[in-house]
Amino acid sequence: MRTPLVAANWKMNGSREFAEQFFAALDLEGLSCAVVICPPYPYLPLVAEKAGEGFSIGAQNLSDETSGAFTGEVSAAMLLDWGVRYAIVGHSERRSLYGESSELVARKFHAAQAAGLVPILCVGESLQEREEERTLEVIASQLQAVTEAAGESAGGDVWSRAVIAYEPVWAIGTGKTATPEQAQEVHRFIRERLGNAGAAVQILYGGSVKAGNAEALFAQADIDGALVGGASLDAEEFSKICRAAG
Ligand code: 13P
């Protein structure tokens, strides 16, 4: 049985005041799903103070390096120091706006795992790639970059301490959600590609998830939760999404 997981990606939004108000309004009472809050780096300590209250902390990014002269970067060990348990890697905004290649994303994935963090690997196709019917090919290559970077030694263990988020780029922040059936098709494909570990890996859907569409998405066999952007900035809306997950 996979535990449902709902993660909030605040992106570059919020303030100290926002965070205080968010946690005052967040209502996770009685939920059995796992909840992860990923604030911007400066608010990690503030979120860490609250994190006993039914959720874990995640980072939105991390360095592929362990330490040294890398101005502006944050290592996995530093995140662990603040009680962070998860790190998003390969978000489409990082891939498209900051030029992160699948190879760099794969190095970040392994840096997170090596330090004991659980990477949340984002994969997903652009609108053009979907229209050209290349969705599954694109996702297969994003996954393959991670297994290739692991080399032979990792065996089948690459995916056993990881979360995957399927985020179709055309559905992010656009109000357009993949239909539950469209998402399920890709989620099942991803699970099959993960091999033996696949059955136990949580695969989240991301892209305009709201309280109003969460239940239908979560009803699909291979959708284990959500990675939520815009709607995670509203504590009541986000609480409802978590409630829909269980
Ligand atoms: P939205 O929920 O705002 O579409 O963002 C999705 C996302 O990018 C989460 O990482």
Side-chain angles (χ1 to χ4, degrees), residues 36-212:
V36 179
I37 310 281
C38 306
Y41 287 141
Y43 304 118
L44 287 171
L46 191 155
V47 177
E49 268 175 36
K50 314 269 181 190
E53 300 168 17
F55 61 87
S56 312
I57 321 168
Q60 297 176 16
N61 187 21
L62 82 164
S63 174
D64 60 320
E65 300 285 349
T66 49
S67 69
F70 302 103
T71 302
E73 293 292 287
V74 173
S75 73
M78 292 170 185
L79 296 172
L80 277 170
D81 249 358
W82 282 104
V84 171
R85 287 188 50 201
Y86 293 84
I88 297 173
V89 297
H91 192 282
S92 66
E93 287 150 19
R94 302 243 25 117
R95 292 179 192 260
S96 67
L97 302 175
Y98 298 97
E100 292 195 8
S101 64
S102 286
E103 290 67 35
L104 175 59
V105 171
R107 290 202 301 277
K108 291 185 174 201
F109 178 102
H110 294 296
Q113 271 192 343
L117 293 172
V118 178
I120 301 177
L121 172 71
C122 299
V123 296
E125 80 287 5
S126 67
L127 182 58
Q128 188 182 346
E129 288 161 344
R130 175 159 282 265
E131 286 173 350
E132 290 169 358
E133 299 187 3
R134 293 177 50 222
T135 297
L136 301 182
E137 175 200 324
V138 166
I139 284 161
S141 87
Q142 290 170 337
L143 293 172
Q144 196 181 341
V146 171
T147 38
E148 268 172 15
E152 299 283 306
S153 58
D157 205 30
V158 179
W159 304 114
S160 64
R161 288 171 298 113
V163 173
I164 312 281
Y166 168 53
E167 298 208 317
V169 178
W170 49 273
I172 294 176
T174 58
K176 286 186 201 154
T177 323
T179 64
E181 294 73 24
Q182 278 174 322
Q184 166 59 21
E185 183 197 1
V186 178
H187 280 232
R188 191 184 48 225
F189 173 79
I190 293 171
R191 200 175 299 291
E192 282 165 4
R193 299 290 298 194
L194 302 183
N196 291 339
V201 176
Q202 290 151 315
I203 306 179
L204 315 181
Y205 170 78
S208 298
V209 176
K210 310 261 184 290

